């Protein structure tokens, strides 16, 4: 057995176990950390497949950015475990139906007839100087440049839409003008009033 | 010599088609890299106390050993023998995971940092992206430490520090894009070899504003003053470190300093010609300094940047949190985006000697 096969089974085991534990974990923070572990395992398997750009991008985007924001939300929200449990039985039938449909679809696509060495030839190993990122860039910026740009514009529109949805003028906005804060003078904030001292009343 | 050693290991460990022997060799290389790194980190703390001491007209540590040179070892032994205290309602697993998640990425980045011509552990094709990706994992140490401590100040420190790290990562990403556009590669080895041929070929001249932006963002990424909102001693006691003691705290501390050394190395590799001598192409000087090994130039340039860290810490007051965010999103981000377009145009039209 080659050592890369050992590595593949180790990463695959980590991937499956962490994904399963992520679903069953009771603590949301632990579930998020297990999801991160499964991302890492997936990235490692991609590295074994000579797709180092995709692997690094998975870590950079999902582990480095998306999951950080996820943890932010988990931290800020006070998730009450008991209410989550209470609705479990209510949503169970619908959940089972959805899960069954997803499993059926995946079985159709990923069944043994579609993959395997008899259907798809074994991918050729590349030489040590093969650059995955150069190949990817050549395809992405020549043959697929318009779909690529279209995806970028779509993402931009999504960002603008999300900001306009959340951004409201008025009560919740606490905007600060830093230049105004820095350039503030004492006379803007403070009024020196000279009050003439009153005459003392003579006691009778 | 090295090849004979590699062959010996392969004979001793024949399992898995020699794959296990390769892993052992990588581990030996890793130890050979990490040990000097930890000693560098230990003397960085000594340098910090000395430099800031002299800047503030004090002497700094001077009791342990001559000139206080053994002070880092005294600190290490003190940390190792201190008790690790667990907060009573903390989540123990995540509480212990946090310092590990801070330390491991800091060390793992060094797998791809080249130290000299052909002197590296891994020549990964996407090494610069790898540095960014693994560097962004380090933020989990802070987030988890803040959450798992079950304490108020750590949570506050973690919240504001994590949002700062995520924001400045974007700026660093954009700066890296400009470097990659000029070099035409994301491989750190290629980026450095593209800067060969004297000080005028280094990228700090065509990318001068990006260099400044990168360095300020590097200060923020490593949680150093004036961006040390995670600790903020005068505001939130010690931030995420409040509940940590002994070796747990030491791991956070080591991660911070190793990240500082990494950022200094990255700045040198991307903008200051890496291991190339500044006298390349200069008559006489080049011949006189020909005996200097290339790693010494890298270390010398890195030392300057590490000194800059201490200089800045001794000089500037801490930023207010909203001003940190304003600097990132409203100043640096537009600047970097404009400069990306400028560099793209200049590379495409081949304006200037560098593009």
């Amino acid at each position: 057995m080659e050592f890369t096969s050992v590595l593949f089974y180790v990463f695959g085991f980590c991937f499956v176990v962490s994904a399963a534990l992520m679903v069953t974990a009771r603590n949301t923070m632990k579930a998020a950390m297990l999801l991160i572990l499964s991302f890492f395992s997936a990235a490692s398997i991609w590295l074994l497949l000579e797709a180092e750009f995709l692997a690094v991008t998975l870590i950079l985007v999902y582990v480095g950015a998306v999951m950080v924001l996820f943890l932010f939300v988990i931290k800020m929200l006070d998730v009450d475990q008991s209410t989550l449990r209470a609705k479990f039985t209510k949503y169970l039938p619908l959940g089972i139906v959805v899960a069954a449909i997803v499993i059926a679809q995946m079985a159709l696509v990923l069944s043994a007839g579609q993959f395997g060495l008899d259907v798809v030839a074994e991918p050729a190993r590349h030489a040590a100087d093969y650059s995955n990122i150069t190949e990817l860039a050549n395809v992405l910026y020549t043959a697929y440049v318009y779909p690529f740009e279209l995806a970028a514009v779509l993402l931009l529109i999504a960002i603008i839409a999300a900001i306009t949805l959340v951004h409201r003028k008025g009560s919740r906005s606490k905007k600060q003008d830093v230049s105004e804060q820095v350039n503030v003078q004492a006379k803007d904030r403070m009024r020196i009033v000279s009050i003439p001292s009153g005459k003392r009343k003579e006691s009778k | 010599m090295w090849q004979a050693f590699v062959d010996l290991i392969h004979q001793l460990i024949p399992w898995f088609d020699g794959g296990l022997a390769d892993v052992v060799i990588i581990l030996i290389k890793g130890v050979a890299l990490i040990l000097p790194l930890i000693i560098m980190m230990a003397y960085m703390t000594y340098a910090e106390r000395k430099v800031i001491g002299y800047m503030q007209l004090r002497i700094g540590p001077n009791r342990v050993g001559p000139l206080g040179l053994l002070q880092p070892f005294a600190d290490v032994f003190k940390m190792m023998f201190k008790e690790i205290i667990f907060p009573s309602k903390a989540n123990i697993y995540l509480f212990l995971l946090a310092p590990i998640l801070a330390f491991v990425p800091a060390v793992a980045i060094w797998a791809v940092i080249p130290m000299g011509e052909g002197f590296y552990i891994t020549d990964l094709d996407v090494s610069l992206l790898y540095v960014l990706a693994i560097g962004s994992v380090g933020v989990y140490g802070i987030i988890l430490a803040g959450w798992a401590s079950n304490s108020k100040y750590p949570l506050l420190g973690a919240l504001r520090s994590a949002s700062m790290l995520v924001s400045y990562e974007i700026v660093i990403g954009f700066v890296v894009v400009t470097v990659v556009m000029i070099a035409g590669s994301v491989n750190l080895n290629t980026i450095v070899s593209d800067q060969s041929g004297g000080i005028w070929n280094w990228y700090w001249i065509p990318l001068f504003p990006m260099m400044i932006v990168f360095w300020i963002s590097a200060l923020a990424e490593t949680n150093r003053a004036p961006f040390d909102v995670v600790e903020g001693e005068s505001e939130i006691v010690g931030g995420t470190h409040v509940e940590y003691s002994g070796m747990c705290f030491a791991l956070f501390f080591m991660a911070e300093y190793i990240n500082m050394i990494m950022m200094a190395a990255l700045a040198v590799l991307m903008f200051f010609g890496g291991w190339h001598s500044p006298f390349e192409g200069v008559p006489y000087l080049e011949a006189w300094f020909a005996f200097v090994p290339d790693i010494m130039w890298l270390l010398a340039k890195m030392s300057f940047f590490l000194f800059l860290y201490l200089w800045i810490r001794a000089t500037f007051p801490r930023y207010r949190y909203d001003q940190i965010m304003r600097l990132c999103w409203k100043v640096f981000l537009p600047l970097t985006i404009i400069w990306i377009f400028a560099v793209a145009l200049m590379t495409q039209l081949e304006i200037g000697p560098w593009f």
Side-chain angles (χ1 to χ4, degrees), chain A residues 1-3 6 27 29 33 36 40 52-53 56 60 63-64 67-68 71-72 75 131 133 176 178 181, chain B residues 16-17 19-20 23 91 101 125 129 132-133 136 139-140 143-144 147 155 158-159 162 166 186 320 322 326:
Chain A
M1 191 152 72
E2 271 187 72
F3 192 71
V6 180
N27 187 333
M29 202 74 169
M33 295 315 290
I36 291 165
F40 257 100
E52 66 259 15
F53 177 72
V56 169
L60 190 64
V63 178
M67 286 312 290
V68 173
L71 288 189
F72 250 90
K75 243 158 112 171
S131 174
I133 186 168
Q176 293 177 331
V178 175
Q181 287 179 336
Chain B
F16 301 119
D17 296 344
L20 199 61
V23 172
N91 189 323
L101 268 185
D125 195 43
L129 281 177
L132 287 183
S136 66
V139 65
Y140 286 107
I143 293 183
L144 277 188
W147 189 82
L155 191 66
L159 271 181
V166 173
V186 271
R320 206 174 65 197
D322 62 311
R326 178 175 175 271

Side-chain angles (χ1 to χ4, degrees), chain A residues 177-189:
Chain A
D177 189 346
V178 175
S179 63
E180 194 187 320
Q181 287 179 336
V182 170
N183 290 323
V184 74
Q185 303 283 317
K187 62 177 168 40
D188 301 334
R189 297 282 166 87

